[in-house]
Amino acid sequence: MFHFSRREIMGTVAPTIFPRVGYSILSFLMFINTVLSVFNNGLVITVMLRNPSLLHPMNVFILSLAVSDLMIGLCGSLVVTITNYQGSFFIGHAACVFQGFAVNYFGLVSLCTLTLLAYERYNVVCKSRAGLKLSMRRSIIGLLFVWVFCLFWAVTPLFGWSSYGPEGVQTSCSLAWEERSWSNYSYLILYTLLCFIFPVAVIIYCYCKVLTSMSKLNRSVELQGGRSSQKENDHAISMVLAMIIAFFVCWLPYTALSVVVVVDPELYIPPLVATMPMYFAKTSPVYNPIIYFLSNKQFRDSALEVLSCGRYIPHGPTSVSINMRTLNRRTPTSLSRSVNTHSKVLPL
């Protein structure tokens, strides 16, 4: 087994810890990932900016999510595509630190935006009488907090609390979880608690409450003689499950790796196993736009209109989702009529 220092890895000689064909496969997979990430999120941003009517307070979170995911694709997946094609991280130590910082920062922004989105949906549906009314000002303040909070966790490794460096097969860079030091351990422990476990708990709790509230409303509407909204409930359940599964696929492997390193510092982790978690995290920009944007018919029609240069004409109802803003102020009887007639919706 060959061992390489970070300085050696930054050289122009390709490491021999992984077969050349393996680097080629990784390069091809990350190329596909880059194309889909840039296209999907670029489409979301274009549609949102070309249709100001879509920029409701809740949808501003979707726009922020698309921006952070686009940056992950450009700063993470694109760079990894090139370095894997070359077979080494040949662009220097400064570029390695920048890539690690960018992926960590924008990945955290994406993760925390999803958490904020879940929390605000919970407030809109379940806490409408508490006075926590969602407004554009509230949305922007929430996003500013998210971006500043994530900046703190991304910047501190630059000043010595943990660090950034090559990982796995040495063609990508991230937090130097392999570094055996108490400084790194303390960072990883707090990072895991505050940037993964807490967001996961918030997301699961909020969406479970939202689904429970929607189910109760549906039963109430049926008792009042209104139209059953079981189709909307089934759609909501599918969306929530997709959100939670995608979240875990992206972030659980990386978090588990960090925890293992802290629990057993002497454990040897093969380079390929060490590389895979960060590659899973880099796939989130591909399906986040599909789950949070393109699955809504109103947004999907707008996207098709953009892609067809205005030639696409929507057919049928604008959306099949329940309007969450309507849930705040309508009685069960009026809700059954609202579900059918209101076209501008907030995506679940």
Side-chain angles (χ1 to χ4, degrees):
M1 174 63 65
F2 292 90
H3 297 279
F4 296 88
S5 67
R6 291 184 188 174
R7 296 289 183 184
E8 291 169 334
I9 293 301
M10 292 303 155
T12 57
V13 179
T16 58
I17 59 175
F18 201 52
R20 188 66 186 86
V21 66
Y23 287 113
S24 298
I25 293 173
L26 287 176
S27 180
F28 174 75
L29 293 176
M30 292 312 298
F31 171 74
I32 300 298
N33 186 78
T34 301
V35 171
L36 293 176
S37 297
V38 173
F39 175 79
N40 289 354
N41 291 286
L43 178 62
V44 171
I45 295 170
T46 301
V47 169
M48 296 282 275
L49 295 181
R50 288 189 57 176
N51 295 272
S53 62
L54 297 179
L55 289 175
H56 304 303
M58 190 74 74
N59 294 345
V60 172
F61 298 138
I62 305 294
L63 181 60
S64 174
L65 179 65
V67 171
S68 59
D69 281 350
L70 178 64
M71 296 307 297
I72 294 174
L74 294 175
C75 299
S77 301
L78 179 59
V79 173
V80 171
T81 299
I82 297 170
T83 54
N84 275 306
Y85 180 80
Q86 179 71 19
S88 64
F89 204 97
F90 64 97
I91 53 180
H93 180 69
C96 176
V97 172
F98 172 77
Q99 192 219 7
F101 164 81
V103 172
N104 187 26
Y105 180 42
F106 294 116
L108 275 179
V109 169
S110 177
L111 188 153
C112 291
T113 301
L114 296 179
T115 307
L116 183 61
L117 189 60
Y119 175 72
E120 290 297 353
R121 283 168 171 164
Y122 164 75
N123 280 334
V124 168
V125 176
C126 305
K127 297 291 183 179
S128 57
R129 297 181 180 179
L132 297 173
K133 193 173 182 179
L134 185 61
S135 63
M136 187 63 73
R137 181 175 180 271
R138 178 182 169 89
S139 297
I140 292 174
I141 290 175
L143 287 174
L144 284 175
F145 172 79
V146 163
W147 284 76
V148 172
F149 172 79
C150 296
L151 184 63
F152 168 80
W153 288 99
V155 164
T156 48
L158 299 176
F159 294 94
W161 193 24
S162 189
S163 61
Y164 295 111
E167 62 174 351
V169 295
Q170 311 298 308
T171 51
S172 63
C173 296
S174 68
L175 289 170
W177 53 266
E178 295 174 312
E179 182 181 318
R180 286 1 188 209
S181 68
W182 283 111
S183 172
N184 194 46
Y185 295 156
S186 62
Y187 178 90
L188 290 177
I189 291 171
L190 289 176
Y191 185 91
T192 301
L193 290 174
L194 298 178
C195 299
F196 180 78
I197 294 178
F198 178 72
V200 166
V202 170
I203 287 175
I204 293 177
Y205 175 82
C206 289
Y207 281 131
C208 286
K209 286 292 186 179
V210 166
L211 292 179
T212 302
S213 179
M214 291 179 65
S215 179
K216 289 180 179 178
L217 268 170
N218 185 42
R219 288 197 299 269
S220 180
V221 168
E222 290 177 348
L223 291 174
Q224 294 282 342
R227 183 184 69 85
S228 172
S229 55
Q230 188 60 44
K231 183 177 180 180
E232 287 82 2
N233 277 1
D234 292 342
H235 176 73
I237 292 171
S238 299
M239 291 297 299
V240 169
L241 289 176
M243 292 170 189
I244 294 174
I245 291 172
F247 189 92
F248 274 99
V249 168
C250 287
W251 299 106
L252 185 58
Y254 191 76
T255 304
L257 184 64
S258 301
V259 171
V260 166
V261 169
V262 173
V263 172
D264 189 357
E266 302 302 322
L267 179 67
Y268 170 74
I269 301 176
L272 184 59
V273 175
T275 295
M276 286 299 100
M278 202 59 191
Y279 280 61
F280 277 116
K282 289 183 177 71
T283 63
S284 62
V286 174
Y287 41 78
N288 274 343
I290 298 173
I291 294 174
Y292 291 91
F293 186 83
L294 297 177
S295 60
N296 182 280
K297 189 177 188 303
Q298 181 189 6
F299 293 156
R300 190 166 60 249
D301 287 340
S302 299
L304 290 173
E305 186 178 358
V306 169
L307 292 174
S308 64
C309 300
R311 289 190 291 270
Y312 174 78
I313 300 176
H315 299 285
T318 307
S319 177
V320 297
S321 300
I322 292 178
N323 184 345
M324 289 190 177
R325 288 176 299 175
T326 306
L327 297 182
N328 294 342
R329 58 182 184 272
R330 305 231 178 190
T331 63
T333 304
S334 62
L335 175 62
S336 62
R337 296 191 299 269
S338 170
V339 171
N340 290 319
T341 59
H342 206 293
S343 61
K344 287 189 176 180
V345 301
L346 297 174
L348 182 63

